[in-house]
Short mmCIF file of all heavy atoms in Angstrom, two decimals:
data_model
loop_
_atom_site.label_atom_id
_atom_site.label_comp_id
_atom_site.label_asym_id
_atom_site.label_seq_id
_atom_site.Cartn_x
_atom_site.Cartn_y
_atom_site.Cartn_z
N GLY A 1 -6.64 26.18 -5.92
CA GLY A 1 -5.38 26.06 -5.24
C GLY A 1 -4.96 24.61 -5.04
O GLY A 1 -3.80 24.29 -5.09
N MET A 2 -5.93 23.72 -4.81
CA MET A 2 -5.58 22.32 -4.55
C MET A 2 -5.03 21.65 -5.80
O MET A 2 -4.20 20.76 -5.71
CB MET A 2 -6.80 21.55 -4.05
CG MET A 2 -7.29 22.01 -2.70
SD MET A 2 -6.02 21.99 -1.42
CE MET A 2 -5.67 20.27 -1.34
N ARG A 3 -5.47 22.08 -6.97
CA ARG A 3 -4.99 21.47 -8.21
C ARG A 3 -3.48 21.61 -8.38
O ARG A 3 -2.83 20.72 -8.89
CB ARG A 3 -5.70 22.07 -9.42
CG ARG A 3 -7.13 21.64 -9.54
CD ARG A 3 -7.77 22.30 -10.78
NE ARG A 3 -9.14 21.92 -10.89
CZ ARG A 3 -9.58 20.92 -11.65
NH1 ARG A 3 -8.72 20.23 -12.36
NH2 ARG A 3 -10.84 20.62 -11.69
N THR A 4 -2.93 22.72 -7.95
CA THR A 4 -1.48 22.91 -8.09
C THR A 4 -0.70 22.04 -7.12
O THR A 4 0.43 21.69 -7.38
CB THR A 4 -1.10 24.39 -7.88
OG1 THR A 4 -1.50 24.81 -6.58
CG2 THR A 4 -1.74 25.28 -8.92
N GLY A 5 -1.33 21.66 -6.01
CA GLY A 5 -0.67 20.80 -5.04
C GLY A 5 -0.53 19.37 -5.53
O GLY A 5 0.41 18.67 -5.17
N ILE A 6 -1.47 18.93 -6.35
CA ILE A 6 -1.45 17.58 -6.92
C ILE A 6 -1.66 17.73 -8.42
O ILE A 6 -2.79 17.67 -8.91
CB ILE A 6 -2.54 16.68 -6.30
CG1 ILE A 6 -2.42 16.65 -4.77
CG2 ILE A 6 -2.46 15.27 -6.88
CD1 ILE A 6 -3.54 15.93 -4.07
N PRO A 7 -0.59 17.93 -9.18
CA PRO A 7 -0.75 18.21 -10.60
C PRO A 7 -1.20 17.02 -11.46
O PRO A 7 -1.80 17.21 -12.50
CB PRO A 7 0.64 18.67 -11.03
CG PRO A 7 1.57 18.15 -10.00
CD PRO A 7 0.78 18.03 -8.73
N ASP A 8 -0.93 15.79 -11.02
CA ASP A 8 -1.29 14.61 -11.80
C ASP A 8 -2.78 14.32 -11.66
O ASP A 8 -3.26 14.00 -10.56
CB ASP A 8 -0.48 13.40 -11.32
CG ASP A 8 -0.71 12.15 -12.14
OD1 ASP A 8 -1.83 11.97 -12.67
OD2 ASP A 8 0.21 11.34 -12.23
N PRO A 9 -3.56 14.41 -12.76
CA PRO A 9 -5.01 14.21 -12.68
C PRO A 9 -5.40 12.83 -12.14
O PRO A 9 -6.37 12.70 -11.41
CB PRO A 9 -5.50 14.38 -14.10
CG PRO A 9 -4.41 15.11 -14.81
CD PRO A 9 -3.13 14.77 -14.10
N ALA A 10 -4.66 11.79 -12.48
CA ALA A 10 -4.97 10.44 -12.03
C ALA A 10 -4.85 10.33 -10.51
O ALA A 10 -5.68 9.73 -9.84
CB ALA A 10 -4.08 9.42 -12.71
N ILE A 11 -3.82 10.94 -9.96
CA ILE A 11 -3.64 10.92 -8.51
C ILE A 11 -4.69 11.80 -7.85
O ILE A 11 -5.27 11.44 -6.82
CB ILE A 11 -2.21 11.37 -8.13
CG1 ILE A 11 -1.20 10.33 -8.61
CG2 ILE A 11 -2.10 11.59 -6.62
CD1 ILE A 11 0.23 10.73 -8.41
N ARG A 12 -4.97 12.94 -8.43
CA ARG A 12 -5.96 13.86 -7.87
C ARG A 12 -7.35 13.21 -7.80
O ARG A 12 -8.09 13.43 -6.85
CB ARG A 12 -6.01 15.15 -8.70
CG ARG A 12 -6.63 16.31 -7.97
CD ARG A 12 -6.44 17.64 -8.67
NE ARG A 12 -6.75 17.65 -10.08
CZ ARG A 12 -5.87 17.86 -11.06
NH1 ARG A 12 -4.61 18.12 -10.77
NH2 ARG A 12 -6.24 17.86 -12.32
N GLU A 13 -7.68 12.36 -8.78
CA GLU A 13 -8.98 11.70 -8.80
C GLU A 13 -9.15 10.70 -7.66
O GLU A 13 -10.27 10.33 -7.32
CB GLU A 13 -9.20 10.98 -10.13
CG GLU A 13 -9.44 11.92 -11.29
CD GLU A 13 -9.57 11.19 -12.61
OE1 GLU A 13 -9.52 9.95 -12.63
OE2 GLU A 13 -9.71 11.88 -13.63
N THR A 14 -8.04 10.24 -7.08
CA THR A 14 -8.11 9.24 -6.01
C THR A 14 -7.63 9.80 -4.67
O THR A 14 -7.28 9.04 -3.77
CB THR A 14 -7.28 8.00 -6.37
OG1 THR A 14 -5.92 8.40 -6.56
CG2 THR A 14 -7.80 7.34 -7.63
N THR A 15 -7.61 11.10 -4.55
CA THR A 15 -7.12 11.75 -3.33
C THR A 15 -8.24 12.52 -2.65
O THR A 15 -9.01 13.21 -3.31
CB THR A 15 -5.97 12.72 -3.67
OG1 THR A 15 -4.92 11.97 -4.30
CG2 THR A 15 -5.44 13.41 -2.44
N ILE A 16 -8.31 12.37 -1.34
CA ILE A 16 -9.25 13.15 -0.54
C ILE A 16 -8.42 14.03 0.39
O ILE A 16 -7.58 13.53 1.14
CB ILE A 16 -10.16 12.25 0.31
CG1 ILE A 16 -10.99 11.34 -0.59
CG2 ILE A 16 -11.04 13.08 1.22
CD1 ILE A 16 -11.76 10.27 0.17
N THR A 17 -8.65 15.32 0.34
CA THR A 17 -7.95 16.24 1.22
C THR A 17 -8.79 16.44 2.48
O THR A 17 -9.98 16.73 2.40
CB THR A 17 -7.74 17.60 0.53
OG1 THR A 17 -6.98 17.36 -0.67
CG2 THR A 17 -6.99 18.56 1.42
N VAL A 18 -8.17 16.24 3.63
CA VAL A 18 -8.86 16.38 4.90
C VAL A 18 -8.09 17.38 5.76
O VAL A 18 -6.89 17.23 5.95
CB VAL A 18 -8.94 15.02 5.63
CG1 VAL A 18 -9.63 15.17 6.98
CG2 VAL A 18 -9.63 13.98 4.78
N TYR A 19 -8.80 18.36 6.27
CA TYR A 19 -8.21 19.33 7.19
C TYR A 19 -8.61 18.91 8.59
O TYR A 19 -9.76 19.07 8.99
CB TYR A 19 -8.71 20.74 6.87
CG TYR A 19 -8.30 21.19 5.49
CD1 TYR A 19 -9.15 21.06 4.41
CD2 TYR A 19 -7.03 21.72 5.27
CE1 TYR A 19 -8.75 21.45 3.14
CE2 TYR A 19 -6.62 22.12 4.01
CZ TYR A 19 -7.50 21.98 2.95
OH TYR A 19 -7.10 22.37 1.70
N THR A 20 -7.67 18.34 9.33
CA THR A 20 -7.98 17.82 10.66
C THR A 20 -6.73 17.79 11.53
O THR A 20 -5.62 18.03 11.05
CB THR A 20 -8.59 16.40 10.55
OG1 THR A 20 -9.10 16.01 11.82
CG2 THR A 20 -7.59 15.38 10.06
N ASP A 21 -6.92 17.45 12.76
CA ASP A 21 -5.81 17.24 13.68
C ASP A 21 -5.25 15.85 13.38
O ASP A 21 -5.88 14.84 13.70
CB ASP A 21 -6.33 17.32 15.12
CG ASP A 21 -5.24 17.13 16.15
OD1 ASP A 21 -4.36 16.27 15.95
OD2 ASP A 21 -5.29 17.85 17.17
N VAL A 22 -4.10 15.80 12.75
CA VAL A 22 -3.54 14.53 12.27
C VAL A 22 -3.29 13.56 13.43
O VAL A 22 -3.59 12.37 13.33
CB VAL A 22 -2.24 14.76 11.46
CG1 VAL A 22 -1.58 13.44 11.08
CG2 VAL A 22 -2.54 15.58 10.21
N ALA A 23 -2.77 14.04 14.53
CA ALA A 23 -2.50 13.17 15.68
C ALA A 23 -3.78 12.51 16.18
O ALA A 23 -3.80 11.30 16.47
CB ALA A 23 -1.82 13.95 16.79
N LYS A 24 -4.86 13.27 16.28
CA LYS A 24 -6.14 12.71 16.73
C LYS A 24 -6.68 11.72 15.71
O LYS A 24 -7.24 10.68 16.07
CB LYS A 24 -7.16 13.82 16.96
CG LYS A 24 -6.93 14.59 18.22
CD LYS A 24 -8.04 15.62 18.42
CE LYS A 24 -7.80 16.43 19.68
NZ LYS A 24 -8.86 17.44 19.89
N PHE A 25 -6.53 12.03 14.43
CA PHE A 25 -6.99 11.14 13.37
C PHE A 25 -6.25 9.80 13.44
O PHE A 25 -6.87 8.74 13.42
CB PHE A 25 -6.78 11.81 12.01
CG PHE A 25 -7.20 10.98 10.83
CD1 PHE A 25 -8.53 10.91 10.46
CD2 PHE A 25 -6.27 10.28 10.09
CE1 PHE A 25 -8.93 10.14 9.37
CE2 PHE A 25 -6.65 9.52 8.99
CZ PHE A 25 -7.99 9.45 8.63
N LEU A 26 -4.93 9.86 13.53
CA LEU A 26 -4.13 8.63 13.61
C LEU A 26 -4.49 7.83 14.85
O LEU A 26 -4.63 6.61 14.80
CB LEU A 26 -2.64 8.97 13.61
CG LEU A 26 -2.07 9.58 12.33
CD1 LEU A 26 -0.61 9.98 12.53
CD2 LEU A 26 -2.23 8.63 11.16
N SER A 27 -4.67 8.51 15.96
CA SER A 27 -5.03 7.84 17.21
C SER A 27 -6.40 7.16 17.11
O SER A 27 -6.57 6.02 17.53
CB SER A 27 -5.02 8.85 18.36
OG SER A 27 -5.44 8.24 19.55
N ALA A 28 -7.37 7.85 16.55
CA ALA A 28 -8.73 7.31 16.43
C ALA A 28 -8.76 6.04 15.59
O ALA A 28 -9.57 5.14 15.83
CB ALA A 28 -9.66 8.36 15.84
N LEU A 29 -7.87 5.95 14.61
CA LEU A 29 -7.82 4.78 13.74
C LEU A 29 -6.76 3.77 14.17
O LEU A 29 -6.53 2.78 13.49
CB LEU A 29 -7.57 5.22 12.29
CG LEU A 29 -8.70 6.04 11.67
CD1 LEU A 29 -8.31 6.50 10.27
CD2 LEU A 29 -9.99 5.26 11.64
N ASP A 30 -6.11 4.05 15.31
CA ASP A 30 -5.06 3.18 15.84
C ASP A 30 -3.94 2.97 14.82
O ASP A 30 -3.49 1.86 14.58
CB ASP A 30 -5.64 1.84 16.29
CG ASP A 30 -4.68 1.06 17.16
OD1 ASP A 30 -3.81 1.67 17.82
OD2 ASP A 30 -4.76 -0.19 17.17
N LEU A 31 -3.52 4.08 14.21
CA LEU A 31 -2.42 4.05 13.23
C LEU A 31 -1.16 4.58 13.89
O LEU A 31 -1.20 5.60 14.58
CB LEU A 31 -2.77 4.92 12.02
CG LEU A 31 -4.06 4.58 11.28
CD1 LEU A 31 -4.30 5.58 10.16
CD2 LEU A 31 -4.03 3.17 10.76
N ASP A 32 -0.05 3.89 13.68
CA ASP A 32 1.21 4.33 14.27
C ASP A 32 1.72 5.63 13.67
O ASP A 32 2.25 6.48 14.36
CB ASP A 32 2.29 3.25 14.12
CG ASP A 32 1.96 2.00 14.93
OD1 ASP A 32 1.29 2.13 15.99
OD2 ASP A 32 2.35 0.90 14.51
N ASP A 33 1.61 5.74 12.34
CA ASP A 33 2.08 6.94 11.66
C ASP A 33 1.44 7.01 10.28
O ASP A 33 0.65 6.16 9.91
CB ASP A 33 3.60 6.98 11.56
CG ASP A 33 4.18 5.81 10.78
OD1 ASP A 33 3.68 5.51 9.68
OD2 ASP A 33 5.15 5.19 11.26
N ASP A 34 1.82 8.05 9.53
CA ASP A 34 1.23 8.22 8.19
C ASP A 34 2.29 8.08 7.10
O ASP A 34 2.14 8.61 6.02
CB ASP A 34 0.53 9.58 8.09
CG ASP A 34 1.47 10.74 8.31
OD1 ASP A 34 2.66 10.52 8.65
OD2 ASP A 34 1.02 11.88 8.15
N SER A 35 3.32 7.30 7.38
CA SER A 35 4.39 7.14 6.40
C SER A 35 4.05 6.10 5.33
O SER A 35 4.73 6.02 4.31
CB SER A 35 5.70 6.76 7.09
OG SER A 35 5.58 5.49 7.72
N GLU A 36 3.02 5.27 5.56
CA GLU A 36 2.61 4.27 4.59
C GLU A 36 1.11 4.42 4.32
O GLU A 36 0.38 5.00 5.12
CB GLU A 36 2.86 2.87 5.12
CG GLU A 36 4.32 2.51 5.26
CD GLU A 36 4.49 1.05 5.63
OE1 GLU A 36 4.54 0.22 4.69
OE2 GLU A 36 4.54 0.75 6.82
N VAL A 37 0.67 3.82 3.24
CA VAL A 37 -0.74 3.81 2.91
C VAL A 37 -1.45 2.82 3.82
O VAL A 37 -0.96 1.71 4.06
CB VAL A 37 -0.96 3.39 1.43
CG1 VAL A 37 -2.42 3.16 1.14
CG2 VAL A 37 -0.37 4.43 0.50
N HIS A 38 -2.59 3.23 4.35
CA HIS A 38 -3.43 2.36 5.17
C HIS A 38 -4.78 2.24 4.46
O HIS A 38 -5.39 3.25 4.12
CB HIS A 38 -3.66 2.96 6.56
CG HIS A 38 -2.41 3.06 7.37
ND1 HIS A 38 -2.10 2.15 8.35
CD2 HIS A 38 -1.41 3.95 7.36
CE1 HIS A 38 -0.95 2.48 8.90
NE2 HIS A 38 -0.51 3.58 8.31
N ALA A 39 -5.22 1.01 4.26
CA ALA A 39 -6.54 0.77 3.67
C ALA A 39 -7.44 0.20 4.76
O ALA A 39 -7.04 -0.73 5.48
CB ALA A 39 -6.44 -0.22 2.51
N LEU A 40 -8.63 0.79 4.89
CA LEU A 40 -9.55 0.36 5.94
C LEU A 40 -10.92 0.09 5.34
O LEU A 40 -11.40 0.87 4.50
CB LEU A 40 -9.70 1.45 7.00
CG LEU A 40 -8.42 1.87 7.70
CD1 LEU A 40 -8.53 3.29 8.17
CD2 LEU A 40 -8.12 0.95 8.85
N LEU A 41 -11.56 -0.99 5.78
CA LEU A 41 -12.95 -1.25 5.44
C LEU A 41 -13.73 -0.96 6.71
O LEU A 41 -13.52 -1.60 7.74
CB LEU A 41 -13.14 -2.71 5.02
CG LEU A 41 -14.58 -3.15 4.76
CD1 LEU A 41 -15.18 -2.37 3.58
CD2 LEU A 41 -14.64 -4.65 4.51
N VAL A 42 -14.61 0.05 6.64
CA VAL A 42 -15.33 0.51 7.81
C VAL A 42 -16.82 0.22 7.63
O VAL A 42 -17.40 0.53 6.59
CB VAL A 42 -15.10 2.03 8.03
CG1 VAL A 42 -15.79 2.52 9.28
CG2 VAL A 42 -13.60 2.34 8.09
N THR A 43 -17.44 -0.36 8.66
CA THR A 43 -18.86 -0.66 8.60
C THR A 43 -19.67 0.62 8.80
O THR A 43 -19.12 1.66 9.18
CB THR A 43 -19.26 -1.68 9.69
OG1 THR A 43 -19.06 -1.08 10.96
CG2 THR A 43 -18.45 -2.97 9.56
N SER A 44 -20.95 0.53 8.56
CA SER A 44 -21.81 1.71 8.68
C SER A 44 -21.87 2.26 10.10
O SER A 44 -22.17 3.43 10.30
CB SER A 44 -23.22 1.40 8.18
OG SER A 44 -23.78 0.35 8.95
N ASP A 45 -21.54 1.42 11.09
CA ASP A 45 -21.54 1.92 12.47
C ASP A 45 -20.15 2.39 12.93
O ASP A 45 -19.96 2.72 14.09
CB ASP A 45 -22.09 0.87 13.43
CG ASP A 45 -21.18 -0.34 13.62
OD1 ASP A 45 -20.14 -0.44 12.93
OD2 ASP A 45 -21.52 -1.21 14.45
N GLY A 46 -19.20 2.41 12.00
CA GLY A 46 -17.87 2.94 12.30
C GLY A 46 -16.86 1.92 12.76
O GLY A 46 -15.72 2.26 13.06
N THR A 47 -17.23 0.66 12.79
CA THR A 47 -16.31 -0.40 13.18
C THR A 47 -15.34 -0.69 12.02
O THR A 47 -15.77 -0.79 10.87
CB THR A 47 -17.08 -1.69 13.52
OG1 THR A 47 -17.99 -1.41 14.56
CG2 THR A 47 -16.14 -2.81 13.94
N ILE A 48 -14.08 -0.84 12.34
CA ILE A 48 -13.10 -1.20 11.31
C ILE A 48 -13.16 -2.72 11.14
O ILE A 48 -12.80 -3.47 12.04
CB ILE A 48 -11.68 -0.73 11.68
CG1 ILE A 48 -11.65 0.80 11.79
CG2 ILE A 48 -10.66 -1.23 10.65
CD1 ILE A 48 -10.35 1.37 12.31
N ALA A 49 -13.64 -3.16 9.99
CA ALA A 49 -13.84 -4.59 9.71
C ALA A 49 -12.61 -5.25 9.11
O ALA A 49 -12.46 -6.47 9.18
CB ALA A 49 -15.03 -4.77 8.78
N TRP A 50 -11.74 -4.44 8.51
CA TRP A 50 -10.54 -4.98 7.85
C TRP A 50 -9.57 -3.85 7.68
O TRP A 50 -9.96 -2.70 7.52
CB TRP A 50 -10.93 -5.57 6.49
CG TRP A 50 -9.77 -6.03 5.67
CD1 TRP A 50 -9.19 -7.25 5.68
CD2 TRP A 50 -9.05 -5.26 4.70
NE1 TRP A 50 -8.15 -7.29 4.79
CE2 TRP A 50 -8.05 -6.07 4.17
CE3 TRP A 50 -9.16 -3.95 4.24
CZ2 TRP A 50 -7.16 -5.63 3.20
CZ3 TRP A 50 -8.27 -3.52 3.27
CH2 TRP A 50 -7.29 -4.36 2.76
N ARG A 51 -8.28 -4.17 7.73
CA ARG A 51 -7.26 -3.16 7.49
C ARG A 51 -6.02 -3.80 6.89
O ARG A 51 -5.75 -4.97 7.11
CB ARG A 51 -6.90 -2.38 8.75
CG ARG A 51 -6.22 -3.19 9.82
CD ARG A 51 -5.70 -2.35 11.00
NE ARG A 51 -6.75 -1.67 11.69
CZ ARG A 51 -6.65 -0.42 12.17
NH1 ARG A 51 -5.53 0.24 12.05
NH2 ARG A 51 -7.64 0.16 12.79
N ALA A 52 -5.27 -3.00 6.15
CA ALA A 52 -3.98 -3.43 5.60
C ALA A 52 -3.09 -2.20 5.51
O ALA A 52 -3.57 -1.07 5.44
CB ALA A 52 -4.16 -4.05 4.21
N VAL A 53 -1.80 -2.46 5.53
CA VAL A 53 -0.81 -1.38 5.47
C VAL A 53 0.17 -1.69 4.34
O VAL A 53 0.58 -2.83 4.16
CB VAL A 53 -0.02 -1.27 6.80
CG1 VAL A 53 1.02 -0.17 6.72
CG2 VAL A 53 -0.97 -1.02 7.96
N GLY A 54 0.51 -0.67 3.58
CA GLY A 54 1.50 -0.82 2.53
C GLY A 54 0.89 -1.10 1.17
O GLY A 54 -0.31 -0.93 0.97
N ALA A 55 1.72 -1.54 0.28
CA ALA A 55 1.30 -1.81 -1.10
C ALA A 55 0.33 -2.97 -1.15
O ALA A 55 0.39 -3.89 -0.32
CB ALA A 55 2.52 -2.11 -1.97
N LEU A 56 -0.56 -2.93 -2.14
CA LEU A 56 -1.53 -3.99 -2.32
C LEU A 56 -0.82 -5.29 -2.68
O LEU A 56 0.07 -5.33 -3.52
CB LEU A 56 -2.51 -3.62 -3.45
CG LEU A 56 -3.54 -4.69 -3.80
CD1 LEU A 56 -4.48 -4.92 -2.63
CD2 LEU A 56 -4.31 -4.28 -5.05
N THR A 57 -1.24 -6.35 -2.00
CA THR A 57 -0.74 -7.70 -2.31
C THR A 57 -1.94 -8.56 -2.67
O THR A 57 -3.10 -8.24 -2.34
CB THR A 57 -0.02 -8.33 -1.11
OG1 THR A 57 -0.97 -8.51 -0.04
CG2 THR A 57 1.15 -7.48 -0.63
N ALA A 58 -1.68 -9.69 -3.31
CA ALA A 58 -2.76 -10.62 -3.66
C ALA A 58 -3.44 -11.13 -2.39
O ALA A 58 -4.66 -11.28 -2.35
CB ALA A 58 -2.21 -11.77 -4.49
N GLU A 59 -2.66 -11.37 -1.36
CA GLU A 59 -3.21 -11.86 -0.09
C GLU A 59 -4.14 -10.81 0.54
O GLU A 59 -5.24 -11.14 0.99
CB GLU A 59 -2.08 -12.20 0.88
CG GLU A 59 -2.57 -12.71 2.22
CD GLU A 59 -1.44 -13.02 3.18
OE1 GLU A 59 -0.26 -12.89 2.82
OE2 GLU A 59 -1.76 -13.37 4.33
N ALA A 60 -3.71 -9.57 0.58
CA ALA A 60 -4.54 -8.50 1.15
C ALA A 60 -5.82 -8.33 0.34
O ALA A 60 -6.90 -8.15 0.91
CB ALA A 60 -3.76 -7.20 1.21
N GLU A 61 -5.71 -8.39 -0.97
CA GLU A 61 -6.90 -8.26 -1.81
C GLU A 61 -7.89 -9.39 -1.53
O GLU A 61 -9.10 -9.16 -1.41
CB GLU A 61 -6.54 -8.24 -3.29
CG GLU A 61 -7.75 -8.09 -4.18
CD GLU A 61 -7.42 -8.09 -5.65
OE1 GLU A 61 -6.24 -8.13 -6.03
OE2 GLU A 61 -8.39 -8.04 -6.44
N ALA A 62 -7.39 -10.61 -1.41
CA ALA A 62 -8.26 -11.75 -1.13
C ALA A 62 -8.94 -11.59 0.24
O ALA A 62 -10.14 -11.87 0.37
CB ALA A 62 -7.45 -13.04 -1.17
N GLU A 63 -8.20 -11.12 1.23
CA GLU A 63 -8.77 -10.90 2.56
C GLU A 63 -9.84 -9.82 2.52
O GLU A 63 -10.89 -9.95 3.16
CB GLU A 63 -7.68 -10.50 3.55
CG GLU A 63 -6.72 -11.63 3.89
CD GLU A 63 -5.56 -11.16 4.74
OE1 GLU A 63 -5.45 -9.95 5.07
OE2 GLU A 63 -4.71 -12.00 5.09
N LEU A 64 -9.59 -8.75 1.78
CA LEU A 64 -10.58 -7.69 1.65
C LEU A 64 -11.85 -8.20 0.98
O LEU A 64 -12.96 -7.92 1.43
CB LEU A 64 -10.01 -6.51 0.87
CG LEU A 64 -10.99 -5.37 0.56
CD1 LEU A 64 -11.60 -4.80 1.83
CD2 LEU A 64 -10.29 -4.28 -0.25
N ARG A 65 -11.70 -8.98 -0.07
CA ARG A 65 -12.87 -9.51 -0.76
C ARG A 65 -13.69 -10.41 0.18
O ARG A 65 -14.93 -10.36 0.17
CB ARG A 65 -12.46 -10.27 -2.02
CG ARG A 65 -11.96 -9.36 -3.12
CD ARG A 65 -11.59 -10.13 -4.38
NE ARG A 65 -11.03 -9.25 -5.37
CZ ARG A 65 -11.75 -8.50 -6.22
NH1 ARG A 65 -13.07 -8.53 -6.17
NH2 ARG A 65 -11.15 -7.73 -7.10
N LEU A 66 -13.01 -11.21 1.00
CA LEU A 66 -13.72 -12.03 1.98
C LEU A 66 -14.45 -11.17 3.01
O LEU A 66 -15.58 -11.47 3.39
CB LEU A 66 -12.74 -12.98 2.68
CG LEU A 66 -12.27 -14.20 1.89
CD1 LEU A 66 -11.18 -14.94 2.67
CD2 LEU A 66 -13.44 -15.12 1.61
N ALA A 67 -13.79 -10.12 3.46
CA ALA A 67 -14.40 -9.23 4.45
C ALA A 67 -15.63 -8.54 3.88
O ALA A 67 -16.64 -8.38 4.57
CB ALA A 67 -13.37 -8.21 4.93
N ILE A 68 -15.55 -8.14 2.61
CA ILE A 68 -16.70 -7.49 1.97
C ILE A 68 -17.85 -8.47 1.83
O ILE A 68 -19.02 -8.13 2.06
CB ILE A 68 -16.30 -6.90 0.60
CG1 ILE A 68 -15.36 -5.71 0.79
CG2 ILE A 68 -17.54 -6.50 -0.20
CD1 ILE A 68 -14.72 -5.21 -0.48
N ALA A 69 -17.54 -9.71 1.46
CA ALA A 69 -18.57 -10.74 1.26
C ALA A 69 -19.27 -11.07 2.57
O ALA A 69 -20.42 -11.51 2.57
CB ALA A 69 -17.96 -11.98 0.63
N GLY A 70 -18.56 -10.85 3.68
CA GLY A 70 -19.17 -11.05 4.99
C GLY A 70 -19.16 -12.48 5.39
O GLY A 70 -19.79 -13.05 6.13
#
C-alpha cells in the first residue's frame, strides 16, 4: 500500500514513514511546523547537535560537516 502513496522509487528510497502524533513529534524536536524540510544531527544520547531548515545550501553543508567532525 505504501508504494502507491510514493510512486517515484528515488523518493521512496529516501523516505521514512512514521505513524505518530505529529503535534507531539514537532514539539519534541522544537519544530514550528512541517511545511519545510528539517535536517537534524542527533547524538547517541538524543541531543540535537545541529539543525537546518529548508533547501540544502553550501553554508549548511559546511556547518554539518564541522558538526560531524566534532
Side-chain angles (χ1 to χ4, degrees):
M2 294 306 296
R3 288 180 181 264
T4 59
I6 305 173
D8 184 329
I11 293 174
R12 199 168 48 245
E13 288 177 3
T14 60
T15 300
I16 299 171
T17 301
V18 178
Y19 297 96
T20 190
D21 181 320
V22 175
K24 284 184 182 179
F25 179 80
L26 293 175
S27 177
L29 294 176
D30 195 26
L31 304 177
D32 294 330
D33 60 48
D34 60 355
S35 64
E36 292 187 88
V37 171
H38 295 260
L40 301 153
L41 175 63
V42 183
T43 65
S44 60
D45 70 355
T47 302
I48 299 173
W50 174 88
R51 66 172 62 219
V53 179
L56 177 65
T57 64
E59 180 181 357
E61 181 181 355
E63 290 173 358
L64 175 57
R65 289 181 184 277
L66 284 173
I68 291 170

